[in-house]
Amino acid sequence: MNTDNINDITLEDVMSYARENTDAIIVADGRTDTYKALARRGMFAEFLDKTGSYHDLIEKLWYHFNNSSDTVIEDYRVFIPTAGKFSGKYSRRINVSFEGVTHVVQMTVYPMVSEEVYILVLDELDGSQYVDETLTSKKVNTIQNTYLFSMYVDLIKDTTNSISITELSEDVQNQKLKYSEWRMMIVNMIGPDDQDIFLERTDPEYLKKNLAVGRTSSYDCLMMNLEGKYIWVKLIFRRAETNNPDDFRFVFMVQDIHESAEELMTALKTYEDLALKDPLTGIYNHRQLETEMENAIKGIISDQLIASMMILDIDYFKRVNDVYGHASGDDALKHFAEVITAFIAGKNAVAGRWGGEEFVVICYDTDKDAAISTADALRRRIEDEPFDKIGHITCSIGVTLITAEDQINTAFERMDKAVYEAKSAGRNCVRAVFR
């Protein structure tokens, strides 16, 4: 157009100008999953193929990580077909990464008369057009970067809208999904152990029954992110405040709480260890061993299981402390516990320190013969083990079976009697008392 007078400009002039200056013009058919590029200029001349898959085009243009060409994992690509459906004109800015450079592109979609046939118009923006907006978005993202996903849900209409996926873009995503469809698709991204509670808490009838107007419900679970890694998230539902009690609209959000959850898990594990484990050796303490004995008795009663237990008493341990000092004695106890732990690894057994130089091992699925054989193998293993400064030590072992009639004290009395017989027999041997 070579005129400064707008009265001389015609519609044909404008169309010709747009045709010559638009960076890319694409026609796409969602029914056949195909597209054809009618125009490709600038970076689009290399970025876009002339023809191809419409779904692949969607993934390439905007279903990737923000400011990156890295695509999301296969599980989440199930949403791509629905992201490419448009019921009216649609426009948004997308970030396209090409040869390591991020290009900001204005995308406008025009649905044609035929169903799922569209015209896509793409224009790269000059930096000055979006730099202020980018800076503003960064400020917002700094505040809201823990929120990975959000959407608006209407349970009566079974619809979702205003879907935002932070890792893809700060803009609202185009999705044509029923809530019932979304729910059954996203459950595959929830951790296997958390899927049942997800289905329960997201069930429309559950939400209608349990969330009053303006109330919020949330719970924590593991969820796969777009990179395919399970992270801790908080799932949040809030019922919108309306004057109609039969209006069931909700805001749903996914918040990334992985770092804080990991810190909490670490703290809880620390407190758990303090409560359940011996501070010197790191294996179960006296209290937890009693709990394991109780559980074994309950299992025998309810499930007709069999179990045995043994007590190991280090021979002449007082001499170790007297000759080598208590520090070496503590080292010997820790090493002794390590030998037991290594020995029972892979076996259906647990071990702990009963007190002093006495250790207890509870073995599940072991009868009389297996209990004695296991105890003697462990005795020989300890006898062959070198201990720093001390050399070699031995232990006396008492064995018994746990029965349905037992209490902790009755089972322990038989085991204690057995180890006394082992010591009386000259130590470094196994004795068993079953009645």
Side-chain angles (χ1 to χ4, degrees):
M1 291 182 290
N2 297 316
T3 179
D4 293 330
N5 189 344
I6 64 171
N7 293 321
D8 296 333
I9 300 175
T10 65
L11 178 60
E12 288 73 17
D13 293 330
V14 173
M15 296 299 292
S16 176
Y17 181 85
R19 185 169 58 250
E20 294 172 1
N21 289 274
T22 300
D23 290 326
I25 301 175
I26 301 166
V27 289
D29 190 336
R31 301 165 301 179
T32 59
D33 186 26
T34 58
Y35 81 85
K36 179 174 69 173
L38 302 179
R40 295 177 298 159
R41 297 183 179 85
M43 54 89 63
F44 290 104
E46 297 182 59
F47 180 75
L48 292 177
D49 295 329
K50 189 170 183 179
T51 60
S53 161
Y54 178 45
H55 294 161
D56 289 348
L57 177 66
I58 293 170
E59 180 178 326
K60 196 171 187 179
L61 288 177
W62 73 86
Y63 227 78
H64 53 80
F65 288 100
N66 201 11
N67 296 324
S68 168
S69 59
D70 295 338
T71 58
V72 302
I73 61 167
E74 189 68 31
D75 290 339
Y76 277 98
R77 294 179 198 174
V78 68
F79 293 103
I80 289 176
T82 57
K85 292 184 178 181
F86 303 90
S87 57
K89 294 179 182 178
Y90 179 78
S91 183
R92 59 173 285 196
R93 291 184 183 182
I94 57 177
N95 292 336
V96 175
S97 182
F98 179 61
E99 294 183 344
V101 178
T102 299
H103 303 260
V104 177
V105 175
Q106 185 69 41
M107 179 187 71
T108 305
V109 180
Y110 299 93
M112 300 184 72
V113 175
S114 300
E115 184 182 0
E116 292 192 50
V117 178
Y118 312 104
I119 299 173
L120 283 72
V121 178
L122 307 174
D123 269 309
E124 183 177 3
L125 301 181
D126 179 75
S128 61
Q129 293 177 270
Y130 59 84
V131 64
D132 289 340
E133 182 178 310
T134 301
L135 291 174
T136 300
S137 296
K138 286 183 177 180
K139 292 178 183 177
V140 174
N141 289 342
T142 300
I143 300 171
Q144 297 182 336
N145 61 358
T146 62
Y147 291 96
L148 302 177
F149 176 88
S150 64
M151 70 179 181
Y152 197 63
V153 177
D154 189 324
L155 294 183
I156 302 301
K157 295 180 180 179
D158 190 23
T159 59
T160 62
N161 56 65
S162 299
I163 294 176
S164 176
I165 306 173
T166 306
E167 291 178 283
L168 297 183
S169 171
E170 55 267 11
D171 295 327
V172 173
Q173 300 290 309
N174 177 71
Q175 282 283 359
K176 298 299 177 186
L177 267 179
K178 292 182 178 180
Y179 173 70
S180 54
E181 294 173 341
W182 170 87
R183 180 168 167 264
M184 298 314 296
M185 292 165 75
I186 207 71
V187 68
N188 297 317
M189 290 70 170
I190 302 297
D193 294 338
D194 298 315
Q195 290 182 1
D196 287 343
I197 189 172
F198 172 83
L199 290 174
E200 175 190 350
R201 296 289 187 90
T202 59
D203 183 85
E205 297 307 314
Y206 176 92
L207 293 170
K208 291 176 184 178
K209 180 180 179 180
N210 291 282
L211 259 72
V213 173
R215 295 301 299 271
T216 299
S217 173
S218 67
Y219 68 97
D220 302 343
C221 70
L222 283 170
M223 184 176 185
M224 190 183 296
N225 66 8
L226 298 183
E227 295 178 310
K229 300 176 182 177
Y230 279 111
I231 62 171
W232 282 102
V233 299
K234 184 180 291 293
L235 303 185
I236 306 167
F237 266 98
R238 177 176 172 81
R239 185 173 171 185
E241 297 186 30
T242 66
N243 294 323
N244 182 0
D246 297 322
D247 189 1
F248 293 97
R249 301 181 188 181
F250 295 82
V251 175
F252 173 70
M253 303 184 76
V254 178
Q255 184 181 16
D256 181 355
I257 60 167
H258 189 70
E259 186 174 336
S260 59
E262 288 285 284
E263 292 176 355
L264 177 60
M265 296 295 179
T266 300
L268 289 174
K269 186 64 171 62
T270 300
Y271 288 121
E272 178 184 346
D273 288 346
L274 289 173
L276 305 182
K277 294 187 176 181
D278 174 58
L280 176 64
T281 62
I283 60 176
Y284 282 154
N285 59 21
H286 187 113
R287 184 188 301 109
Q288 185 58 23
L289 280 172
E290 288 185 336
T291 300
E292 291 292 332
M293 291 180 191
E294 289 176 352
N295 292 339
I297 294 170
K298 290 177 182 177
I300 291 167
I301 295 172
S302 61
D303 301 323
Q304 297 183 334
L305 302 176
I306 56 174
S308 67
M309 63 180 181
M310 67 181 83
I311 186 167
L312 299 85
D313 193 330
I314 300 176
D315 296 329
Y316 305 112
F317 187 71
K318 185 177 183 300
R319 294 181 187 175
V320 173
N321 284 326
D322 291 344
V323 174
Y324 299 98
H326 287 280
S328 294
D330 287 347
D331 289 341
L333 291 173
K334 288 188 282 187
H335 193 170
F336 192 86
E338 290 169 358
V339 174
I340 296 174
T341 302
F343 179 84
I344 67 172
K347 296 180 174 64
N348 191 6
V350 296
R353 185 184 178 195
W354 191 253
E357 65 269 25
E358 292 183 327
F359 295 77
V360 168
V361 178
I362 301 173
C363 300
Y364 299 92
D365 304 322
T366 53
D367 58 17
K368 293 180 180 179
D369 292 338
I372 295 172
S373 175
T374 300
D376 198 54
L378 178 54
R379 179 195 63 78
R380 293 195 305 271
R381 175 71 182 83
I382 291 168
E383 183 180 27
D384 293 339
E385 179 71 13
F387 285 73
D388 289 344
K389 297 183 181 179
I390 299 171
H392 292 269
I393 60 177
T394 62
C395 66
S396 303
I397 303 179
V399 178
T400 192
L401 288 183
I402 303 175
T403 69
E405 293 75 28
D406 268 325
Q407 301 292 328
I408 292 177
N409 62 326
T410 57
F412 182 80
E413 284 173 1
R414 291 196 305 274
M415 185 173 63
D416 195 45
K417 181 179 179 182
V419 76
Y420 178 79
E421 291 181 3
K423 285 186 172 293
S424 299
R427 294 180 170 81
N428 190 25
C429 62
V430 175
R431 291 292 183 269
V433 174
F434 297 117
R435 293 184 180 180

